[in-house]
Amino acid sequence: MAKKGGKGGKKDKKDKKGKDKKGKGKKGKKKTQVKPVVKEEPPPPPPPPPPVEVKLKIEEPCVFNCAQDKVTYRPNSYPGLLLHPKTLAVVGSECGSYDSLCKLLHAGFRCADRVYTMVPWGNYVVFRTQDGDNYLYFVFDGCTCNVNRFRYLDLTCGTASLLYFEELHKAINYIIMSRSRREELKSLKRSMVDDVCSEMYGTQHI
């Protein structure tokens, strides 16, 4: 019986030694060093986009009615085209005096708001529009070979290429005063043609 007890005592000693060894092993382990976390700097913001060039919109001439109720003085926009032509009166003065033009234009405006006016030094087209109780007048001073196109002009889209007058009196005065300018242009054209012909064919050209 004593031997058994002795064996048991040895086992206890072994267990104690094993426990001691295990305990020593735990204490002998090296502690892992924790590295400090370095915060990375955020990336720089992207560069701003290049400025966009804003192109100015140029007002283009319209083709049909611009949905305006009345005609106003708009020198930066050209007239449009009407689907249906307007009535165009035709008058002519042999002398081109103020009284003659005044009577003829008043008679023409009784039946139409557009009058094709013929005088000895050229042809003009006079337009009349109403703004409330007042009348506005526009004169076309240029090539009038295609007379029919003046019946289709829509002045609600613009009045570029037309001369603006607040009174018919001023429009008639312009037609009379433009006579000297037209005669100067005709004489200038003739002299230029004569110079060219003389250079090409000499002084005996027809």
Side-chain angles (χ1 to χ4, degrees), residues 17-192:
K17 288 180 181 179
K19 288 180 181 179
D20 293 338
K21 287 180 180 179
K22 288 179 182 178
K24 288 179 181 179
K26 288 180 181 179
K27 290 180 181 179
K29 285 184 179 179
K30 294 181 180 180
K31 294 182 180 180
T32 56
Q33 295 180 356
V34 180
K35 295 181 179 180
V37 179
V38 179
K39 293 183 179 180
E40 296 181 358
E41 295 182 359
V52 180
E53 295 182 359
V54 179
K55 295 183 179 180
L56 297 175
K57 292 184 179 181
I58 301 174
E59 188 176 359
E60 298 179 354
C62 58
V63 179
F64 297 103
N65 197 336
C66 297
Q68 290 192 1
D69 297 333
K70 62 181 181 179
V71 177
T72 57
Y73 178 54
R74 299 176 63 193
N76 296 327
S77 301
Y78 286 94
L81 295 177
L82 296 170
L83 293 175
H84 304 287
K86 297 286 186 179
T87 304
L88 178 68
V90 180
V91 297
S93 175
E94 293 182 357
C95 60
S97 63
Y98 180 88
D99 293 336
S100 176
L101 287 173
C102 186
K103 292 178 181 178
L104 290 171
L105 287 173
H106 275 97
F109 284 133
R110 290 174 187 170
C111 59
D113 288 331
R114 304 166 186 222
V115 180
Y116 184 80
T117 308
M118 297 180 291
V119 289
W121 56 89
N123 302 326
Y124 303 84
V125 181
V126 184
F127 298 85
R128 183 185 69 175
T129 61
Q130 190 170 3
D131 184 11
D133 297 333
N134 301 324
Y135 285 104
L136 306 178
Y137 298 92
F138 298 91
V139 177
F140 178 80
D141 183 7
C143 179
T144 57
C145 296
N146 186 5
V147 181
N148 195 42
R149 70 188 177 104
F150 296 104
R151 301 175 62 199
Y152 287 90
L153 291 183
D154 185 7
L155 302 188
T156 58
C157 295
T159 58
S161 74
L162 300 178
L163 302 173
Y164 168 69
F165 299 95
E166 295 179 352
E167 300 175 359
L168 183 60
H169 161 72
K170 295 180 179 179
I172 295 173
N173 282 337
Y174 171 81
I175 293 174
I176 296 173
M177 295 298 292
S178 64
R179 178 175 186 174
S180 59
R181 184 176 60 84
R182 287 203 172 193
E183 289 178 352
E184 289 176 0
L185 291 174
K186 285 182 180 180
S187 61
L188 180 62
K189 288 180 181 178
R190 287 175 184 172
S191 63
M192 291 176 65

